[in-house]
Every structure is written in structure tokens, then in C-alpha cells.
Amino acid sequence: MRQQPPIGSSVSGTGGWTLFSAWLAVIRALVWRPFWQGGLRSAFVIVGVALGVAITAAINLANHSALATFRDSIDLVAGRTHVQILPTVQTLPDTILTRLGWLRRLGDVNPVIEAICVVPQHHKTLRLIGVDLLHAGLSGSAEQPALRTDRPVLIHAGLAARWHLAVGDTLAAVADDRPVQFVVAGLIPSTGRTSGWDETFAVTDLAVAQDVLHRPGQLDRIDIQLADPDQTDDVVAALQAQLPPNARALTPERRNAQVGRMLRAFQANLAALSYIALLVGAYLIYNTLSVSVVQRRTEIGTLRALGVSGRQVFAAVTLEALMIGVVGSTLGLGLGLILAQGAVAAVSQTVNSLYINTGGAAAVHYDPLTMILSAMIGLLLSLAAAVLPAWEASRTAPAVAMRRGTWATKQQGRTALFAA
């Protein structure tokens, strides 16, 4: 007598393989074959998603890079600054320094003036920073004898290498719409505070900057470095009581936070514009899948009649959208890295012109989290665009699915809603 196989062993294994084979057949019929047969249409949808993800990634990277460059510039120029005195309107008069004599017993008081100059020879902008070179932290890394030249400037070593400048060379620029000749008095090494920051800046003496910029007796801010940082809050409170109405005292952290809030609305507008591109890509997916479901109504009806469940049909249509989203998002990230270069330059120029001067174009900060979020948004919108076509395909009865014009008739009543 032949022994029967145990229940749940070979029988269950055969049944599982049969279900898996059936599921593969469904995928081939409803996903792979239509996707490859779509040809240009499928490629067009993938390009739409890729462009949406690319624009989103580029704008998000530009926002992140512009804000990071602003914070880096504050850290570099402020250095170990604990308190900053800023004007509420335009500039500060340098006579305000006479009121701050008591602060010199607590630390260093450094007046600062800065502006953007143009270097025609290199078609670049240069951030000119005027400080008291005898007390500024950057002067310690420069060659001091050259500081006695007329209109001396200290420039970054990396910038000097790119522009082929050495100590003693002349740097021609346009400041306040007037040509001016600077002399390279020293090089600032790319270490510590200056590493990773935009190198297109030059440091000169305060009196030289005021003369070149035709702003005698004016200051942009005053940096205060305290010997005891624990006195920061007390010093800010004392300054608020003594300063004139056109000046205020802030910590660099608070200034960073205020500028961050100021830029947030601008960055939100850019992000919203990038999401419009993603919505266009999502609409392309929705439209393509809707047409594809109509074209495949006979296949769907046949598969349903053969026992394929509505869930399997729903999963198959959703899988096609996921494929489009994955391919489009992957291509979009690569394109976004390229577009980010131009986007960062444009965003930096707008921030410099309308909000706060960050010293020229920012460098692209390739933030992995920003790129991952951009790709995830593309995937989620792709899946969301497939929900309605997949739901319609899964709910339609086999006899109705094989009847011509049924799905199109249902959509006519929704046209006004979708248009709105």
C-alpha cells in the first residue's frame, strides 16, 4: 500500500509554488508587458517623474546650501564673538564706540564694515571685510610686514591659487562703482575656521574699507569677544539699556535664528514651486495608468474570470506605478545633483540681494537626508497617483471589465471634480 505524503508538506509546497507562479503570470500580463509595450509613453512618464524629483532635490539642496553658507560665514567672520551690535536701520556711526569703553575691560571690541566688490578680470564678486587688523583673529595667520602697504588685503590661500596671486601682487576691483587697486598683503590658510567656507573674501583694515567704500565714520556691526562667556546675557542686557534706538545687541546664535526665520518663508515658496513639478509627474502617472487600465480591460476581465482576486489586480497596477517611481526618482536624483549647481547660484544671489549678504554664491552642500526625502516624495506621489486607477481595476466585475466603454463612462461624472 502506497504511503500518502504528510498533509502540509509537499502539498502545501506545491500549492505555494502554484500561487507564486500565478502571481508572476499576473505581473507579466498586467505590468511587464504593457510597460515595455508602452515604449515612448512609459519613457515620457518616467521623464516627468525624474524632472519633478530633480527640481525638488535641486531646490531643497539650494535652500540647505544657502542657509549652511550663511551660518558658516557668520561663524567665520564672528569667530569667537559672543555679542554683536547691529544697526536697526542702515549703518552704525563709529562714534558709538565711545560708549563702549567699559566693554574693553571684559574682552575685545571689534568694529566691522563689509561690502561686495566686483573683480572684472575674473568675472567674480569679492566680499570685502574691514576690521581692525591689529586685533582681528585672521591677521595672525598673515604676513605682517606687507600690511604697511597702501590698501592692503588678506585673501584666502585657495583663492590666491585659483587667481594666480601672490603676496605683493595687485588686485584690481570695483568698489562702490569705482575702480580700486588693492595689494595682496598676506594669505589666510585653509585651516580651522576658514575650511569649507566660500573663499571669495578679502580682509582689509577698517579705515581702508571706509575710504574705499566712501562710508567714512560708518560701521556695519561691532563684534564683542568676552573673556568670560558666562557674562554674555548680562552684557546684552546692559547694552540694550545703553544703546541708541538705531542699534541693538544680539548673540550670533540669536541672529542665526532670526535670519533662519526670515529665510524660511522664501525657502517655503521655492519648495512649493518644486512640488508643483512633482504634481505634474504624478498627474502623468495617473493619466497613463488610467488609460492603461482602459486598454487592458479585456486582460483584466479575463484574469478576474480565471480566479485572480481584486487585491492582486490592485497590487499589479500599484507595482507598475512603483516601478515608474523608482526609475524616475533614481534618474531624478542624478539630474538634481546637476541642477543644484545652478539652483544654488540663483538662490544665493537672491538671498544676497534681498535678505542678507552671505559673500557670493554658496557651495553645494550635498545633504543625504535632503536627497532621500526628495526621492521618497517622488515615490509616495507615484503610489498615490496609482490608487484610483488600481482601485477601479480591482473593483470592476469580470463581465463589466470586458465590456467596452464602461470605465470611460464612469469617469465622465468626475471630470468637473478633477478639473476643480
Side-chain angles (χ1 to χ4, degrees):
M1 183 174 181
R2 189 173 57 182
Q3 186 177 2
Q4 296 293 331
I7 298 176
S9 58
S10 62
V11 174
S12 59
T14 303
W17 175 254
T18 302
L19 291 176
F20 181 72
S21 301
W23 174 235
L24 288 180
V26 172
I27 293 177
R28 283 195 298 268
L30 295 184
V31 178
W32 287 110
R33 190 189 308 162
F35 181 80
W36 292 113
Q37 289 178 349
L40 185 60
R41 183 180 62 189
S42 299
F44 182 73
V45 176
I46 290 176
V47 169
V49 176
L51 288 177
V53 173
I55 294 174
T56 302
I59 293 299
N60 289 338
L61 285 174
N63 288 338
H64 176 80
S65 301
L67 190 57
T69 298
F70 161 73
R71 289 169 177 165
D72 290 345
S73 66
I74 291 297
D75 293 340
L76 172 66
V77 178
R80 295 179 291 106
T81 297
H82 302 103
V83 181
Q84 289 183 319
I85 299 177
L86 303 171
T88 55
V89 179
Q90 296 181 343
T91 59
L92 293 169
D94 58 7
T95 54
I96 198 174
L97 293 171
T98 59
R99 304 187 182 189
L100 307 178
W102 59 277
L103 278 175
R104 300 189 183 277
R105 300 192 302 269
L106 304 178
D108 293 330
V109 179
N110 304 308
V112 180
I113 186 173
E114 60 182 275
I116 295 296
C117 301
V118 178
V119 183
Q121 180 180 356
H122 300 283
H123 305 285
K124 297 288 186 179
T125 58
L126 186 70
R127 185 179 187 182
L128 183 65
I129 305 172
V131 297
D132 187 349
L133 289 179
L134 296 179
H135 296 90
L138 292 175
S139 63
S141 59
E143 299 182 16
Q144 297 294 338
L147 296 179
R148 293 190 290 268
T149 60
D150 184 30
R151 291 180 176 173
V153 292
L154 311 176
I155 63 175
H156 196 280
L159 180 66
R162 292 201 308 272
W163 288 2
H164 306 289
L165 294 173
V167 175
D169 289 348
T170 299
L171 177 62
V174 177
D176 194 27
D177 296 328
R178 298 178 179 87
V180 61
Q181 300 284 336
F182 294 107
V183 176
V184 179
L187 304 180
I188 302 171
S190 180
T191 58
R193 291 158 55 192
T194 63
S195 61
W197 190 69
D198 180 36
E199 300 172 352
T200 53
F201 69 96
V203 181
T204 188
D205 190 68
L206 181 66
V208 173
Q210 289 176 329
D211 176 60
V212 167
L213 300 174
H214 297 88
R215 290 157 61 180
Q218 299 180 46
L219 302 174
D220 287 319
R221 69 175 186 275
I222 300 174
D223 294 339
I224 302 170
Q225 299 176 355
L226 299 175
D228 183 7
D230 294 335
Q231 296 180 323
T232 299
D233 293 338
D234 295 335
V235 170
V236 171
L239 287 173
Q240 293 289 17
Q242 296 182 11
L243 291 175
N246 64 332
R248 56 178 178 168
L250 296 173
T251 60
E253 293 79 8
R254 186 176 177 185
R255 186 189 181 194
N256 280 352
Q258 287 185 347
V259 174
R261 288 193 296 268
M262 181 175 61
L263 295 178
R264 196 167 294 126
F266 169 69
Q267 294 175 336
N269 290 335
L270 291 179
L273 292 176
S274 68
Y275 295 151
I276 292 177
L278 275 177
L279 289 177
V280 172
Y283 171 76
L284 290 176
I285 294 177
Y286 165 78
N287 184 69
T288 299
L289 292 181
S290 297
V291 173
S292 180
V293 167
V294 174
Q295 293 177 339
R296 286 178 280 177
R297 60 185 181 273
T298 303
E299 290 87 344
I300 294 174
T302 303
L303 290 173
R304 290 298 309 278
L306 292 175
V308 176
S309 65
R311 291 182 179 181
Q312 291 175 317
V313 174
F314 184 93
V317 178
T318 305
L319 179 61
E320 183 176 356
L322 182 61
M323 288 171 47
I324 295 174
V326 170
V327 177
S329 297
T330 303
L331 296 176
L333 286 181
L335 182 59
L337 296 179
I338 300 175
L339 295 179
Q341 300 287 342
V344 167
V347 171
S348 298
Q349 182 178 1
T350 303
V351 171
N352 290 337
S353 301
L354 301 181
Y355 294 93
I356 187 167
N357 187 353
T358 61
V364 181
H365 291 243
Y366 295 104
D367 181 40
L369 181 59
T370 299
M371 299 172 63
I372 292 174
L373 288 177
S374 300
M376 290 301 299
I377 292 175
L379 288 176
L380 292 177
L381 279 180
S382 299
L383 292 175
V387 169
L388 187 57
W391 181 70
E392 288 286 351
S394 65
R395 289 183 70 253
T396 304
V400 176
M402 289 184 286
R403 190 180 307 155
R404 293 184 176 273
T406 304
W407 191 89
T409 303
K410 288 185 177 181
Q411 298 307 305
Q412 292 178 357
R414 299 173 181 169
T415 302
L417 177 61
F418 287 162

